């Protein structure tokens, strides 16, 4: 029940295209859903996060869509750029362990020029 | 403002040995969390420390331990190393106030167990 399932495992997108990564969770106690971006040799960095009281959050080219009834959330990267090539992780936590994130397995995104 | 600093960057140990990893959080951050990252298991939460006390613990054996000092710096220790402990160990710091769920990760310590 603690799992967060992430797909796809890898993704190749052309420059200017839309990258979409999906996650699903089972634990209904989860109430915080961040996305992290990780470049090789670096630690993950927070990209954007959402709480279940909203269905969508947008920050620049990055948008999270959240479907509470389906227990799913997704990251959309608009106008994908080669600099976006990285591994993306979805995650979730509850108020009993706010910093004890449960991470998805990661999506390796490659944006081709 | 300096980021999260982890030392050493790389470490090679042999089975049965023990290892200590160090983490200096961002100035003003009082919460320090540790994660293990492996290709097979992904990112897994180890534990969180706040005000020198362990506040949360993940599902890892007792060979994995940690501590936090009064200046918020943290160390984690792995005793009786096993081959499966080879991983990138990441430290993350955060505020313990509004917005404290945002974790700032260091670049990690790459541990290889031979």
């Amino acid at each position: 029940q603690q799992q967060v399932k992430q797909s796809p495992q890898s993704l190749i997108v052309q420059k200017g295209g839309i990258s979409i990564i999906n996650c699903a969770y089972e634990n209904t106690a989860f109430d915080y859903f961040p996305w992290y971006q990780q470049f090789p040799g670096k630690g993950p960095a927070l990209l954007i996060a959402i709480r279940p009281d909203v269905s969508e959050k947008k920050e620049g080219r990055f948008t999270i869509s959240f479907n509470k009834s389906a227990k799913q959330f997704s990251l959309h990267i608009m106008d994908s750029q080669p600099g976006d090539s990285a591994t993306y992780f979805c995650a979730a936590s509850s108020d009993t362990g706010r910093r004890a994130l449960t991470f998805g397995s990661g999506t390796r995104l490659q944006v081709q020029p | 403002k300096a980021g999260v600093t982890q030392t050493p960057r790389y470490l090679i140990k042999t089975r049965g040995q023990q290892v200590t990893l160090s983490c200096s959080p961002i100035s003003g951050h009082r919460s320090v969390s540790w994660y293990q990252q492996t290709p097979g298991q992904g990112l897994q939460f180890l534990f969180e420390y706040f005000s020198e006390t362990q506040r949360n613990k993940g599902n890892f054996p007792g060979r994995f331990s940690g501590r936090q000092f009064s200046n918020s710096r943290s160390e984690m220790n792995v005793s009786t190393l096993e081959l499966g402990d080879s991983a990138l160990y990441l430290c993350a710091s955060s505020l313990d106030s509004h917005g404290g769920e945002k974790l700032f990760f260091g670049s990690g310590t790459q541990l290889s167990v031979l």
Side-chain angles (χ1 to χ4, degrees), chain B residues 3-49:
Chain B
V4 177
T5 303
Q6 291 189 245
T7 56
R9 186 72 178 90
Y10 301 95
L11 207 48
I12 299 175
K13 292 287 187 179
T14 56
R15 280 184 302 172
Q17 287 186 312
Q18 74 165 15
V19 67
T20 300
L21 313 181
S22 180
C23 172
S24 293
I26 293 172
S27 177
H29 286 194
R30 299 169 63 194
S31 168
V32 174
S33 303
W34 289 89
Y35 285 79
Q36 181 196 64
Q37 185 173 24
T38 61
Q41 298 298 316
L43 278 155
Q44 294 184 286
F45 172 74
L46 280 156
F47 28 65
E48 180 205 357
Y49 284 87

Side-chain angles (χ1 to χ4, degrees), chain A residues 32 34 36 38 40-46 49 51 87 89 93 96-105, chain B residues 9 31 33 35 37 43-45 48 55-56 88 90 94-97 100-108:
Chain A
Y32 173 68
Y36 279 81
Q38 185 176 28
K42 300 292 185 181
L46 180 66
R51 293 187 181 276
T87 301
F89 295 93
S93 70
T96 58
R98 185 56 72 213
R99 296 158 195 84
L101 292 170
T102 298
F103 280 90
S105 54
Chain B
R9 186 72 178 90
S31 168
S33 303
Y35 285 79
Q37 185 173 24
L43 278 155
Q44 294 184 286
F45 172 74
E48 180 205 357
R55 188 153 66 174
N56 269 299
L88 180 67
L90 292 160
S94 63
L95 293 166
D96 191 56
S97 60
E101 63 272 6
K102 181 175 182 178
L103 298 183
F104 294 83
F105 283 89
S107 294

Side-chain angles (χ1 to χ4, degrees), chain A residues 66-81:
Chain A
F66 186 83
N67 186 328
K68 188 174 181 178
S69 60
K71 291 185 284 187
Q72 295 176 347
F73 57 111
S74 61
L75 176 69
H76 295 232
I77 305 175
M78 314 299 287
D79 187 25
S80 298
Q81 300 296 312

